[in-house]
Amino acid sequence: MPDTVLLPVRRGARRGVAAAIGALVGVAAVASPARADVGEVTQYPITSTADSLPAGITAGPDGALWFAESGADRIGRMAGDGTVTDHPTPSPGSAPFGITAGPDHALWFTETGTGRIGRITTRGRITEYRLPRADSGPLGITAGPDGALWFTESGANRIGRITTGGRITEYAVPTAGGYPYNITAGPDGALWFTELLGGRIGRISLTGRVTEYPLGPHDLPDDIVAGPGGMWVTASGTDSVDRVGPTGQVTRFPLLRPGSGPSGIARGRDGQLWFTEQSGRLGRITAAGRITEFTVPSGAEKVPFRLTAGPDRAVWFTGLLGNAVGRVQVLPH
């Protein structure tokens, strides 16, 4: 696989994979003013390396935020005060992308550049598991209801499953060239995933049976999360957030501005759905489809990308091109 990773951001950014150097870094946080319905947006720069391209982010079992530094071959850990500890991956050119908390008190992540799945303990010990195909291109990853980790393989057009002991099973995606991208557990005991280039949402049962639901040829479905009434999906091609019902019915909620490029989506501890816009904003959408947007300072240059509910009721997000992790304070309604 080439030593560059195509990150499907709105502007088609392509960056080289940097060498990994672990470090404990200091932080100078920058906060923006609060507004009536949301608190401060604080951004913490990653000062250990330039162009780390922070992608996936998740809350860890240790009360910290863990994120994948796709441009620096590292896994980062951010404490509540913004202090970052870097852990280099053993394989050069790994380009870690997705990351999730596992059922074994560890973090699991994808290595897009080397076709591996990684596991890191909260003490920083990393174990890697090689996939059957080096060009599999794993991207999204999530914990399944069966105690295993499920992940997408964009290059191999498959959905993978790995046990905590490292046993790997793969299932083909019916649509050729679908480019399975992100994946999450649904409320129905199955896994749901996006097909970025196939314009579809997929559902895979624990036995490997795949059902696909079409959106549209220009939707570019990106991230996905379970929410009220079904699965909620960001569609960067149509600048909308879509809700997909249990049998595939689609309800579309257009965003307020064209060219917004919705990307990551997660459910906050306030029960609302939060999403990023690569044009430089964060958004919140209610079950009824009411959308509120919040500007991230210098967000158009930093590209808000993935986000997660933190242990502190805040929503945390990565700035893909801004070399930073951000935190938005969620105020009670």
Side-chain angles (χ1 to χ4, degrees):
M1 189 162 181
D3 62 356
T4 56
V5 178
L6 180 61
L7 298 173
V9 297
R10 188 80 171 176
R11 289 176 285 177
R14 183 186 294 267
R15 296 297 176 94
V17 178
I21 303 175
L24 181 67
V25 302
V27 176
V30 179
S32 65
R35 43 180 285 177
D37 48 0
V38 69
E40 287 186 340
V41 177
T42 306
Q43 299 181 78
Y44 302 95
I46 301 168
T47 58
S48 56
T49 185
D51 296 325
S52 67
L53 299 180
I57 185 170
T58 191
D62 56 349
L65 285 304
W66 291 75
F67 56 97
E69 298 179 59
S70 58
D73 297 343
R74 308 179 188 186
I75 299 299
R77 177 189 183 274
M78 179 170 283
D81 62 356
T83 303
V84 174
T85 306
D86 280 334
H87 303 282
T89 61
S91 299
S94 61
F97 190 81
I99 187 168
T100 191
D104 55 350
H105 205 73
L107 292 304
W108 290 75
F109 58 94
T110 55
E111 297 186 13
T112 310
T114 53
R116 291 175 166 86
I117 300 298
R119 175 186 184 271
I120 182 170
T121 68
T122 54
R123 293 180 177 272
R125 181 180 178 182
I126 296 177
T127 306
E128 295 175 312
Y129 300 94
R130 186 189 300 271
L131 298 179
R133 286 179 47 172
D135 61 348
S136 58
L139 287 171
I141 188 168
T142 193
D146 56 350
L149 290 304
W150 291 73
F151 55 93
T152 58
E153 297 182 54
S154 61
N157 208 45
R158 301 176 185 180
I159 300 299
R161 175 185 184 272
I162 183 170
T163 67
T164 54
R167 182 179 178 182
I168 296 169
T169 310
E170 297 175 304
Y171 304 97
V173 173
T175 299
Y179 203 90
Y181 192 22
N182 281 300
I183 188 168
T184 193
D188 56 353
L191 289 303
W192 291 71
F193 59 94
T194 57
E195 296 180 40
L196 184 71
L197 302 183
R200 289 169 166 80
I201 301 303
R203 176 189 184 274
I204 183 168
S205 69
L206 297 182
T207 59
R209 181 180 178 183
V210 177
T211 306
E212 295 175 304
Y213 301 105
L215 293 179
H218 306 296
D219 283 66
L220 298 178
D222 188 329
D223 206 359
I224 185 168
V225 70
M231 307 303 297
W232 292 71
V233 181
T234 51
S236 60
T238 52
D239 289 320
S240 65
V241 175
D242 300 343
R243 183 179 63 219
V244 181
T247 59
Q249 65 273 28
V250 178
T251 305
R252 177 158 294 169
F253 302 99
L255 299 188
L256 307 180
R257 299 175 177 85
S260 56
S263 185
I265 189 167
R267 193 166 187 174
R269 297 191 185 279
D270 60 347
Q272 304 298 312
L273 296 168
W274 292 74
F275 58 93
T276 58
E277 297 180 26
Q278 294 174 18
S279 58
R281 289 177 291 272
L282 300 180
R284 184 176 62 201
I285 184 168
T286 67
R290 181 182 178 184
I291 295 171
T292 309
E293 295 176 309
F294 313 101
T295 299
V296 175
S298 302
E301 289 75 36
K302 295 180 179 179
V303 184
F305 194 57
R306 293 289 181 260
L307 72 175
T308 190
D312 54 354
R313 189 178 170 84
V315 172
W316 292 73
F317 62 96
T318 53
L320 183 66
L321 302 186
N323 209 44
V325 172
R327 175 187 182 274
V328 58
Q329 181 185 10
V330 179
L331 300 179
H333 294 284

